[in-house]
Amino acid sequence: MKYYFIIISLFLIGCNTNSNSKSDPTSSTASATYNNIDVATFNQGLKGENSVVIDVRTPQEIAGGKIENAVELDYYDKEFASKIKALDPDKNYYLYCKAGTRSAKAAEIMIENGFKNVHNLKGGYTDWKKDSK
């Protein structure tokens, strides 16, 4: 019986892998995830009518440029979590920062607060600016 449980567990873990190179799912909880996506997938997602792009960089960073129509929510703002909670959890969110680390942390916060459609730009604004020319 013990071996049966181990075999089933390994099977379930193996079935949960994703080999898609365009997105890299990152699990936050057992029931919800956010996706790390490349620039092309990010740009395509922004075309959806239910899509919201969020820039989690500081105002100083944003002064150097940003993605058009991005909502500015500074990750380091002490009110950041409460501002996230005020958003509509049914929309599709596309997050970015300078390189992708802060936006991944912001995506985790969103998932923990019940958001289901959250996407993080791998490489952040740096890659977006380079690849969107």
Side-chain angles (χ1 to χ4, degrees):
M1 188 68 165
K2 181 176 165 182
Y3 294 111
Y4 179 74
F5 177 76
I6 292 171
I7 291 170
I8 295 296
S9 296
L10 291 172
F11 175 76
L12 292 174
I13 291 169
C15 289
N16 197 26
T17 60
N18 184 347
S19 61
N20 184 350
S21 63
K22 289 190 175 185
S23 66
D24 176 19
T26 304
S27 181
S28 173
T29 66
S31 62
T33 62
Y34 69 89
N35 292 309
N36 286 311
I37 57 175
D38 64 14
V39 173
T41 306
F42 185 87
N43 286 339
Q44 187 64 33
L46 296 183
K47 295 176 183 176
E49 66 182 55
N50 203 28
S51 298
V52 177
V53 61
I54 298 178
D55 186 336
V56 300
R57 298 176 300 155
T58 65
Q60 295 79 12
E61 291 171 300
I62 292 170
K66 73 174 201 171
I67 297 172
E68 186 176 353
N69 297 321
V71 175
E72 299 172 18
L73 293 177
D74 182 356
Y75 179 79
Y76 296 120
D77 182 341
K78 64 182 178 181
E79 300 295 322
F80 179 78
S82 64
K83 290 178 182 178
I84 289 292
K85 290 176 186 177
L87 298 172
D88 181 351
D90 296 323
K91 294 201 179 266
N92 298 314
Y93 291 95
Y94 293 84
L95 283 66
Y96 73 96
C97 61
K98 182 177 180 183
T101 303
R102 279 175 287 172
S103 51
K105 291 176 183 176
E108 288 281 346
I109 292 169
M110 293 181 84
I111 294 298
E112 290 167 2
N113 283 284
F115 291 80
K116 300 203 181 338
N117 300 306
V118 182
H119 311 279
N120 177 50
L121 177 59
K122 288 190 292 189
Y125 185 72
T126 302
D127 281 2
W128 183 86
K129 192 171 178 181
K130 178 180 66 175
D131 292 348
S132 293
K133 290 183 180 183

